[in-house]
Amino acid sequence: KSNWMNCSYTLYCIIRQAEGFKEQGNAFYSKKDYSEAFNYYTKAIDASPKNASYYGNRAATLMMLCRFREALEDSQQAVRLDDCFMKGHLREGKCHLSLGNAMAASRCFQKVLELEPSNREAQQENKNATTLLEFERMAEFSFEKRDFRKVVYCMDRALALASACHRFKILKAECLALLGRYPEAQSVASDILRMDSTNADALYVRGLCLYYEDCIDKAVQFFVQALRMAPDHEKARLACRNAKALKAKKEEGNQAFKNCNYEAAYQLYTEALAIDPNNIKTNAKLYCNRATAGAKLKKLNQAIEDCSSAIKLDDTYIKAYLRRAQCYMDTEQYEEAVRDYEKVYQTEKTSDHKHLLKTAQMELKKSKRKDYYKVLGVGKNATEDEIKKAYRKRALMHHPDRHSAATPEVQKEEEKKFKEVGEAFTVLSDPKKKMRYDNGHDLEDDCGFDGRGNEKHLFVNYSGPGNVFFQFG
């Protein structure tokens, strides 16, 4: 009897001590000093490890400290000790919800409603679990459709209900990277890695951001680290393989270009572009590289298209604007060239860019005048003799006497062409006027006059085929 009384007294002291620790924990909890509250609830559990309410209280404290995984363990221990502990089930459900386990959370809230059907908190939390599940399904469907903006939207809504879910954060970060919003994606991944430096998903996202920013060597390091943490991580494995293949193919194309093997370079850049359509920055460079190779191969229209593709992927890519502008110049599309050079000069006001813009503007101005070289049918580098021969041939072809039997409309058109031929010859046969014309200067003030200000007249006499006489008066 004496031993029984001693045991009872000892048990009473232990319980009293445990209750004392719990009361102190409650006091600190009320003051929102959750760290101290956690310490005293732990002491209470150490003193009386079979008391469900102590685990429940410590779970509540851990939830306030955002340590949801530990809180989940304490909640589960609480309901194992007392299956009718309603607060224990409610807290377990909240932990599951915060960690993104909507179905497990729903089971816990259903258990609470079995114990207390009118519990409004459980009813609301159960609705939240259903909503979370719906956002998760929408995100999965949108990801398959490559609607990454919709996925980010769904994950933002989901994280408002499941703030501690790393899975949702990673999916959001991955989609941000796929949308080119690399700083935001990096920030989300870094936050996770600060809490868990071995998180393979976060390492993968960090690598993905570097990969899409064309820092391929650093990206591969993160992919390798992710695979070291999780050897079966398929996304990291695929990204690592693509990164290595893309780098190798791009370098191979660059080497072929340096060796003046432009056909091979063009083909290699084409193969590189097929590796990963999601890599916007690298693909923009590849399109521009292929445009450069295409220009060397005189594929100017394809080169323009490639530059446009590069700009569509990266509208700040100055090199692509410059390459496209040069192709426009080469194809005499001067208005388009001026537009591109203006864009470049607005972005980078260098003397070289200013000179390119001025040149394009001059060519545009020249293109709006009559093309005297085209009128005579000669190239811009034609010699004086070639110009004279071309003039005689065209003057003979369009001389009014030759078309005297034609309809009035044809006569009028041929007379107009004949005058244009004379005008072209007047300019191109005079070295000074030709130079002014070639430099884009206006010739309206001196085109039809001699050095003394007297008007020049060009006489062309036609007396049958092969008999045409030319002289100035």
Side-chain angles (χ1 to χ4, degrees), residues 99-111:
L99 292 167
N101 304 319
M103 294 184 72
S106 186
R107 286 194 294 269
C108 294
F109 299 136
Q110 289 290 347
K111 179 67 176 179

Side-chain angles (χ1 to χ4, degrees), residues 155-218:
M155 288 300 95
D156 280 337
R157 299 300 177 279
L159 285 164
L161 298 169
S163 59
C165 182
H166 285 181
R167 183 164 47 88
F168 293 166
K169 290 178 181 179
I170 288 295
L171 181 56
K172 176 185 174 180
E174 184 178 1
C175 290
L176 286 170
L178 290 166
L179 289 168
R181 294 160 63 179
Y182 308 121
E184 295 171 75
Q186 290 262 31
S187 178
V188 175
S190 296
D191 286 345
I192 294 172
L193 289 170
R194 273 193 288 273
M195 292 181 282
D196 179 10
S197 62
T198 63
N199 189 295
D201 291 325
L203 290 168
Y204 158 70
V205 169
R206 282 292 303 276
L208 197 65
C209 290
L210 290 165
Y211 169 54
Y212 287 153
E213 289 182 292
D214 203 29
C215 301
I216 293 180
D217 290 333
K218 287 184 180 179

Side-chain angles (χ1 to χ4, degrees), residues 251-440:
E251 288 178 350
E252 199 177 345
N254 291 347
Q255 189 58 50
F257 188 89
K258 285 178 184 177
N259 294 338
C260 299
N261 192 347
Y262 304 124
E263 284 285 2
Y266 192 93
Q267 182 57 35
L268 288 163
Y269 292 139
T270 301
E271 291 172 12
L273 281 164
I275 291 173
D276 186 359
N278 292 322
N279 196 321
I280 294 170
K281 205 158 189 175
T282 301
N283 286 347
K285 292 180 180 180
L286 287 168
Y287 273 119
C288 193
N289 287 2
R290 190 170 74 173
T292 305
K296 291 286 187 182
L297 296 167
K298 304 302 179 186
K299 298 178 179 180
L300 295 175
N301 289 329
Q302 294 96 317
I304 289 169
E305 288 178 12
D306 277 347
C307 288
S308 298
S309 296
I311 291 165
K312 187 176 180 181
L313 293 175
D314 181 1
D315 62 2
T316 66
Y317 194 11
I318 294 298
K319 191 175 178 181
Y321 283 105
L322 288 170
R323 171 56 54 195
R324 187 170 71 175
Q326 184 57 56
C327 290
Y328 281 140
M329 292 289 285
D330 293 340
T331 53
E332 300 183 358
Q333 299 180 65
Y334 300 119
E335 287 189 11
E336 290 81 356
V338 167
R339 187 179 61 240
D340 277 354
Y341 282 134
E342 283 177 340
K343 171 75 174 177
V344 170
Y345 187 62
Q346 286 168 5
T347 307
E348 294 181 0
K349 288 182 167 61
T350 68
S351 58
D352 286 344
H353 294 162
K354 185 177 182 179
H355 174 71
L356 289 168
L357 175 57
K358 290 282 186 184
T359 302
Q361 288 171 334
M362 180 64 73
E363 291 299 325
L364 175 60
K365 182 180 177 182
K366 288 161 64 176
S367 71
K368 292 184 181 297
R369 307 171 308 170
K370 288 179 184 176
D371 188 341
Y372 291 143
Y373 291 102
K374 192 173 182 181
V375 169
L376 294 182
V378 296
K380 292 183 179 180
N381 297 319
T383 64
E384 187 177 345
D385 285 341
E386 287 172 336
I387 289 170
K388 285 181 180 178
K389 287 178 182 177
Y391 166 63
R392 291 190 181 100
K393 181 180 178 182
R394 292 293 172 118
L396 179 62
M397 185 186 303
H398 301 296
H399 194 283
D401 291 348
R402 188 170 188 173
H403 302 280
S404 58
T407 63
E409 291 80 7
V410 172
Q411 287 183 11
K412 188 176 181 179
E413 182 63 26
E414 291 299 326
E415 184 179 356
K416 180 183 175 183
K417 289 180 180 179
F418 181 73
K419 287 180 180 179
E420 286 180 349
V421 168
E423 185 182 331
F425 182 69
T426 301
V427 173
L428 299 183
S429 62
D430 185 315
K432 289 183 180 179
K433 288 176 183 164
K434 182 177 183 295
M435 184 172 68
R436 284 174 59 77
Y437 175 79
D438 289 342
N439 289 333

